[in-house]
Amino acid sequence: MGRRIAATTGLGLALLLSSCGLLSPSADPRPASPHRASSLPRARTVPAGHGSRAAHDFNGDGHPDLVLDSLLAPSGGRDDDPGIGIVYGSARGLDPATRELLTPARHAAPTAGTVPASFDAETVCDLDRDGFSDLVVTTDPPYDGVGRPPVPVQLLFGSPHGLGAARAVKLRIPDRARFGNEWPDQPVCGDFDGDGAPDLAVTASGPRISYLRGPFTRTGAPKAAGAPIDIPGTALAPTAPLSSSDLNGDGTDDLLVRAADPGRRARSRLALGSPRGPVRAGSAGYPPGHTTVFGRFTGSGRTAVPVTADADGLLTVAGRPGRLRTGTGGDPTLATADVQHDGHPDLAIGGTRPALLSGTAHGLSSTVQRLAVPRLPGTGRPHTTVLALTDLDGDRHADLVLLTRRGRTHDRVTVRPGGPSGLAKKPTLSFSTADFTAS
């Protein structure tokens, strides 16, 4: 429970140890930060939107928003989850003055009168098709260990006033769609049946998926749900379905499933979408690695191919045995989109030495462009996670959002806009996640 998944959007069919979202990951224990005042401007009211088709747009104003799921906690020694930070977008990109802090105490649905202690962002999609993106979270409801556990997944519905206007509701998974006594986990959005409405897939016990057809009601109920889906040869519990996209061009999204939890090295394969949902396993698996993205990297631009990142940022492209050595170190994260707006998707790789590979007419360049990271107090090499590579300001150039962290007390979120000549040399926005919880 409580595993964080990160995702991003882009021209390539991307994932970020995650599902489809501008989400920040965290596999470390909850860090604590010294007592400090926020360096961000005073928070403003979320501007009201009228609904849009933009991805990750919680207030419906047409501009993508950012989810920060691994906030540095305030000092005081408490282990409570500090919550989820939301930075809302604008015509000029992310606006840190327009932000919200979503906490379990104020925004999680209680179970048997008890508010969950953890509140972890998982994925983003417009579950009720009202033009406002919704945030899917996992929690830790009370459970005595006997019989089938309660559903830990909750839904925060977007609105003209963003996500903070109401409490979450619990996802309702009918008994017929559940299997075994493991926690339903790792929710992934996708239109797996091709009807235009977002669906959800969550893990069940054994190699099975609970497939929930959308749209969803404001009480958390899916339109329909059948028996759990068995994907032959794929151990879904406790695997992480990390990404969903229409990879074979049949009008239905496909689901990537792995043989281990996010952040661990594992093989993966597709569950192919169909009018009945993701009911059929793909014919071939992908090589072992920590994470996989899909993009049109071959130069022809016609077919999405996988790129899998192994230890130290070793990349396998389209399953070929030849690898690109990036030397990024640490646990890799990947995101892909078109920075220069030249029709060729680029690839950002997180790690202790983050990097960018440019897309060309002949495929991904083998030239490794090192990404500068902010200086942080302390010793040891900091680790950088790619939070997003997507167009935040509407200029058709993908912008890069990084989270750099050293130890348990210091971090920095930086935003570098994309342009015709590539990424900006210096970030136009920089702040700490501790700013969300600072007094």
Side-chain angles (χ1 to χ4, degrees):
M1 271 303 303
R3 289 184 292 275
R4 291 172 179 77
I5 299 179
T8 187
T9 60
L11 297 181
L13 306 172
L15 66 96
L16 182 62
L17 281 179
S18 71
S19 56
C20 42
L22 297 180
L23 305 177
S24 66
S26 173
D28 299 327
R30 184 80 54 185
S33 67
H35 182 77
R36 59 189 296 279
S38 176
S39 64
L40 293 177
R42 183 182 297 275
R44 295 196 297 259
T45 302
V46 177
H50 301 286
S52 80
R53 294 187 178 182
H56 306 89
D57 181 12
F58 301 118
N59 62 330
D61 64 353
H63 308 298
D65 310 315
L66 178 71
V67 180
L68 295 166
D69 188 45
S70 54
L71 307 182
L72 292 179
S75 61
R78 298 194 308 171
D79 293 328
D80 292 352
D81 190 331
I84 301 167
I86 308 294
V87 182
Y88 287 87
S90 72
R92 298 176 301 279
L94 295 175
D95 179 6
T98 309
R99 65 186 186 272
E100 286 183 313
L101 176 63
L102 310 175
T103 66
R106 294 196 302 267
H107 298 98
T111 296
T114 301
V115 174
S118 68
F119 208 46
D120 302 326
E122 299 287 354
T123 189
V124 176
C125 52
D126 186 0
L127 292 170
D128 57 353
R129 302 180 70 186
D130 65 350
F132 301 90
S133 297
D134 310 312
L135 180 64
V136 182
V137 300
T138 52
T139 65
D140 60 343
Y143 173 54
D144 61 8
V146 178
R148 179 168 287 176
V151 175
V153 182
Q154 298 190 6
L155 312 177
L156 273 164
F157 286 98
S159 75
H161 305 290
L163 291 173
R167 281 189 179 270
V169 301
K170 299 175 185 177
L171 175 66
R172 296 167 62 180
I173 304 180
D175 284 343
R176 62 180 175 276
R178 298 192 65 178
F179 179 83
N181 291 331
E182 294 186 19
W183 293 92
D185 201 1
Q186 302 159 4
V188 177
C189 290
D191 183 9
F192 303 118
D193 57 7
D195 67 352
D199 311 312
L200 279 178
V202 300
T203 57
S205 301
R208 290 174 173 81
I209 298 172
S210 294
Y211 164 54
L212 310 175
R213 292 178 183 264
F216 290 72
T217 69
R218 283 295 180 112
T219 62
K223 176 182 178 181
I229 298 170
D230 186 359
I231 303 298
T234 304
L236 289 178
T239 63
L242 296 181
S243 176
S244 59
S245 310
D246 182 8
L247 300 178
N248 58 359
D250 66 352
T252 63
D253 284 346
D254 307 307
L255 180 70
L256 185 69
V257 295
R258 307 179 75 241
D261 288 340
R264 295 184 180 182
R265 188 174 188 267
R267 292 186 177 274
S268 57
R269 67 186 304 163
L270 290 176
L272 299 175
S274 74
R276 296 185 295 122
V279 296
R280 181 168 58 91
S283 59
Y286 302 122
H290 290 265
T291 182
T292 299
V293 299
F294 294 87
R296 294 175 173 86
F297 298 118
T298 58
S300 65
R302 297 176 182 176
T303 304
V305 298
V307 173
T308 298
D310 210 337
D312 199 27
L314 286 173
L315 302 182
T316 300
V317 181
R320 294 192 300 267
R323 290 183 167 187
L324 292 175
R325 294 184 175 272
T326 66
T328 49
D331 291 336
T333 50
L334 299 176
T336 179
D338 191 350
V339 173
Q340 295 175 286
H341 188 50
D342 58 3
H344 308 300
D346 309 298
L347 182 71
I349 311 143
T352 54
R353 301 175 67 215
L356 182 77
L357 298 182
S358 294
T360 74
H362 305 289
L364 277 177
S365 170
S366 59
T367 301
V368 178
Q369 305 172 46
R370 292 289 168 212
L371 298 173
V373 297
R375 294 182 179 181
L376 297 175
T379 60
R381 191 183 292 273
H383 187 275
T384 296
T385 298
V386 180
L387 297 187
L389 186 63
T390 191
D391 182 9
L392 296 170
D393 53 13
D395 66 355
R396 298 190 176 184
H397 297 275
D399 311 307
L400 179 65
V401 185
L402 299 177
L403 170 65
T404 301
R405 176 162 287 166
R406 172 178 274 145
R408 298 169 56 85
T409 57
H410 297 92
D411 71 7
R412 208 77 190 163
V413 176
T414 53
V415 180
R416 292 172 60 185
S421 58
L423 292 171
K425 299 298 183 183
K426 295 182 179 180
T428 55
L429 179 61
S430 176
F431 60 91
S432 171
T433 66
D435 289 327
F436 280 84
T437 57
S439 57

